[in-house]
Amino acid sequence: MRPRCETALATEWAGAELTSAKTKDVKTVFDINAITKILPHRYPFLLVDKVVEYEAGKRAVGVKSISMNEPQFTGHFPGNPIMPGVMQIEALAQLAGIVCLQMEGASPGSVFFFAGVDGVKWKKPVIPGDTLMMEVEIKSWKPKFGIAKATGKGYVDGKLAVDVKEMTFALAKP
């Protein structure tokens, strides 16, 4: 016999239409097709689903929808799936890559490699069904050397889940 799910909500039923309408003012800047033209990553390692805010050369806000169908959840952890922290950092790095790969000095076909990360703090688990809202800000870019530095944060339901004080990237030109 299946266990019953008891609903403890004291609010009125809103339905799919009204619930969906809560995000109607959030515009997609880059959809998944645009992202795959910028980033070299592909399934199962493409970790940015869309970009909803973008300031060229400076910052971006992106979305990662967490699904139980992702391969890491078969082993991390059986019966208690949690998005690995390193994958949260990689998702932030990919969002930073979307900004960096469109900056002056990054020619088409260039790739940014992760060169370092400092000051990481995890505040809450990210689990299947969550939407990880990420923001990154490019703090410095030295086109002569191909080095970029950025910060990043990820939120679930408006609460900080991951905070990265500094990510460093190195540009590899084609």
Side-chain angles (χ1 to χ4, degrees):
M1 182 180 217
R2 289 176 64 160
R4 283 181 24 167
C5 291
E6 299 292 332
T7 303
L9 299 176
T11 60
E12 288 187 35
W13 177 262
E17 182 179 4
L18 289 176
T19 302
S20 174
K22 291 179 181 182
T23 60
K24 73 178 187 282
D25 294 328
V26 178
K27 304 298 180 207
T28 299
V29 178
F30 299 119
D31 65 13
I32 195 65
N33 295 314
I35 290 169
T36 59
K37 289 178 180 150
I38 301 166
L39 292 179
H41 306 78
R42 295 297 179 266
Y43 177 84
F45 215 64
L46 179 57
L47 301 175
V48 180
D49 295 326
K50 65 181 173 179
V51 174
V52 296
E53 289 187 38
Y54 176 77
E55 188 176 345
K58 294 186 180 183
R59 58 187 169 189
V61 174
V63 178
K64 167 67 177 137
S65 298
I66 313 304
S67 170
M68 187 62 188
N69 294 328
E70 296 174 45
Q72 67 270 14
F73 294 123
T74 59
H76 198 272
F77 297 98
N80 187 25
I82 297 172
M83 183 179 189
V86 295
M87 293 187 80
Q88 294 172 40
I89 296 168
E90 175 65 24
L92 289 164
Q94 289 181 20
L95 182 59
I98 290 169
V99 178
C100 290
L101 286 169
Q102 298 181 87
M103 295 191 312
E104 184 180 328
S107 56
S110 295
V111 176
F112 267 95
F113 289 106
F114 219 152
V117 63
D118 287 304
V120 179
K121 291 184 181 175
W122 287 276
K123 301 294 189 174
K124 75 185 263 30
V126 178
I127 62 172
D130 285 345
T131 300
L132 184 62
M133 295 295 297
M134 305 173 289
E135 65 182 27
V136 295
E137 184 174 354
I138 307 305
K139 294 299 195 177
S140 70
W141 165 233
K142 296 181 177 148
K144 181 178 178 181
F145 301 106
I147 301 293
K149 293 195 180 276
T151 61
K153 292 182 180 190
Y155 297 85
V156 172
D157 297 330
K159 295 186 175 142
L160 186 63
V162 58
D163 186 6
V164 180
K165 294 294 179 210
E166 184 177 85
M167 296 179 280
T168 304
F169 306 96
L171 177 69
K173 296 183 180 181

